[in-house]
């Protein structure tokens, strides 16, 4: 598939900076060492098994979603909070709670 030339030009560096855009990016992505936790080991509230789950720091600093246990297939509510240092706090609750 070939993309139009003007699409490529939209991403070229023209040497000009956009201070407003950069300020917004700094707020959304504060400077750090670039390290964020990408996985966590949690215990299923239904079967009690330890399960490793993938984390996605790109989905925001506060996340809440549903994921099924890889062992017993019961649904959990997963809550993730990313801290400034890139560490993640992860908690699970049974979906029927």
């Amino acid at each position: 598939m070939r993309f139009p030339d003007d699409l490529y030009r939209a991403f070229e560096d023209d040497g000009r900076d956009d201070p407003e855009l950069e300020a917004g990016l700094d707020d959304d992505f504060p400077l750090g060492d670039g390290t964020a936790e990408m996985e966590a080991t949690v215990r299923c509230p239904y079967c009690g098994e330890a399960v490793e789950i993938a984390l996605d720091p790109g989905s925001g600093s506060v996340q809440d979603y549903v994921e099924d246990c890889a062992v017993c297939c019961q649904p959990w509510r997963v809550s993730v909070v990313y801290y400034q240092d890139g560490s993640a706090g992860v908690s699970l609750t049974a979906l029927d709670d």
Side-chain angles (χ1 to χ4, degrees):
M1 175 177 202
R2 177 149 165 67
F3 293 101
D5 290 337
D6 59 337
L7 178 63
Y8 288 113
R9 282 193 295 276
F11 294 97
E12 288 179 356
D13 183 12
D14 62 4
R16 293 180 291 169
D17 293 329
D18 183 342
E20 287 184 32
L21 177 61
E22 288 184 21
L25 289 174
D26 287 344
D27 290 341
D28 291 339
F29 303 101
L31 297 177
D33 66 2
T35 304
E37 289 186 353
M38 302 280 293
E39 58 188 32
T41 301
V42 296
R43 189 159 303 277
C44 176
Y46 295 99
C47 69
E49 290 290 326
V51 179
E52 190 169 295
I53 62 171
L55 302 177
D56 181 8
S59 292
S61 60
V62 177
Q63 304 172 25
D64 191 45
Y65 57 92
V66 175
E67 185 167 327
D68 293 339
C69 176
V71 177
C72 71
C73 299
Q74 294 294 317
W76 319 313
R77 178 173 308 282
V78 181
S79 297
V80 180
V81 175
Y82 273 98
Y83 303 105
Q84 291 286 35
D85 66 357
S87 64
V90 181
S91 65
L92 296 183
T93 55
L95 195 59
D96 57 4
D97 282 350

